[in-house]
Amino acid sequence: MKKRKKVGLALGSGAIRGFSHIGVIKKLLENNIPIDYIAGSSIGSWVGAHYALFQNLEKLEELTVQKQKEKFLSFIEPSINGGVIKGKKIEKLLEEWLEDSDFSDTKIPISIVATDLYEGNTVVLTTGKLAPAVRASMSVPTLFKPVEHQDKILIDGGISNPVPDDVVRAMGADVVISVNLDNYIKNETFTKKQQKSLSKISTRSLNIIRYHLSKYSTSSSDVIIEPYTPTLGINSFRQYFAHKVGIDLVKNGYDETEKHIEKIKKLIK
């Protein structure tokens, strides 16, 4: 009997836009698409770690889209150097939600991507406790203090490898499905009026950089899912705690994945 191809899922960075990952996984499961390996960067590391550990989408969606009070309180930890927020409270919350588990406890093998602040290289975390690895992968520079972890100083994985398709391919995946949240062409428009605003120009420029880096990061992908994830800019921090925004993003991921199901099924065969 012919052996089934192994499927890897690369979950990209993108802050609150990463809620779309939940919808992607939901649609894959509804269509009996197996997930054999996961690699996650930034918000993708959180979604990937929880799903790999518990395979409980209902609980994952509850923690990610809801629990506004718990998330808000974890952000109230000001720092005077390295970043606005220390991040210790966030790590403690992650420990609670991941039940202080190790990589070895996961039902699906997972790799978590961070960036070495000194060397500038991508760091792939695969051993030890999940919570500090996820915290490191989500440590957006200037917002959060860099994280000392496994003898390195780490920051957000999206800085060096926003969609780690190469990582999940190296894990053994025959078919790589990537979720890219940085398609600014799809998600936003830019007007002549906006070009007069320094903040708008800065945001637009960053999104262009992220777009091209994400294209490089998906060069090993067989399928690239790009949900509609409107750029939220400075408002994204506030909207982390807005219930409806999360629900809409999950639905966007779900709907976009539907367009790729037949191709995925053919690739697996």
Side-chain angles (χ1 to χ4, degrees), residues 247-265:
I247 292 175
D248 289 344
L249 288 168
V250 172
K251 184 178 185 301
N252 292 348
Y254 181 90
D255 291 343
E256 186 63 27
T257 306
E258 174 63 35
K259 302 174 186 177
H260 300 271
I261 290 299
E262 290 307 313
K263 179 180 180 180
I264 294 169
K265 288 181 177 178

Side-chain angles (χ1 to χ4, degrees), residues 9-21:
L9 186 60
L11 301 177
S13 63
I16 187 176
R17 291 173 291 168
F19 291 10
S20 300
H21 292 321

Side-chain angles (χ1 to χ4, degrees), residues 58-82:
E58 185 177 345
K59 185 64 176 178
L60 174 58
E61 187 168 357
E62 176 194 342
L63 295 177
T64 305
V65 178
Q66 301 179 40
K67 300 293 182 181
Q68 284 84 0
K69 180 180 178 181
E70 290 88 341
K71 288 185 288 188
F72 178 75
L73 291 176
S74 72
F75 277 66
I76 303 176
E77 191 185 20
S79 170
I80 60 173
N81 57 66

Side-chain angles (χ1 to χ4, degrees), residues 195-213:
Q195 74 182 20
K196 298 177 182 179
S197 166
L198 181 60
S199 65
K200 295 292 184 182
I201 292 172
S202 299
T203 300
R204 178 71 166 186
S205 300
L206 179 60
N207 289 339
I208 291 171
I209 292 171
R210 290 183 61 88
Y211 170 78
H212 288 286
L213 180 56

Side-chain angles (χ1 to χ4, degrees), residues 1 12 50 54 67 71 73 93 101-102 122 132 151 154 168 175 187 189 201 206 231 233 243 252 268:
M1 187 172 70
H50 193 279
F54 301 113
K67 300 293 182 181
K71 288 185 288 188
L73 291 176
L93 185 64
S101 300
D102 293 350
T122 295
D151 298 323
L154 302 178
V168 81
V175 176
N187 293 324
T189 57
I201 292 172
L206 179 60
T231 302
H243 180 64
N252 292 348
I268 294 173

Side-chain angles (χ1 to χ4, degrees), residues 6-10 34-39 108-110 168 171-174:
K6 297 291 185 179
V7 179
L9 186 60
I35 301 173
D36 300 294
Y37 306 100
I38 300 174
I108 300 172
I110 181 168
V168 81
M171 294 171 74
D174 302 303

Side-chain angles (χ1 to χ4, degrees), residues 25 34 53 63 104 131 141 143 163 169 171 185 203 208 223 244:
I25 296 173
L53 186 61
L63 295 177
S104 59
L143 180 59
V163 192
R169 176 79 71 186
M171 294 171 74
I185 295 173
T203 300
I208 291 171
V223 176
K244 186 179 185 304

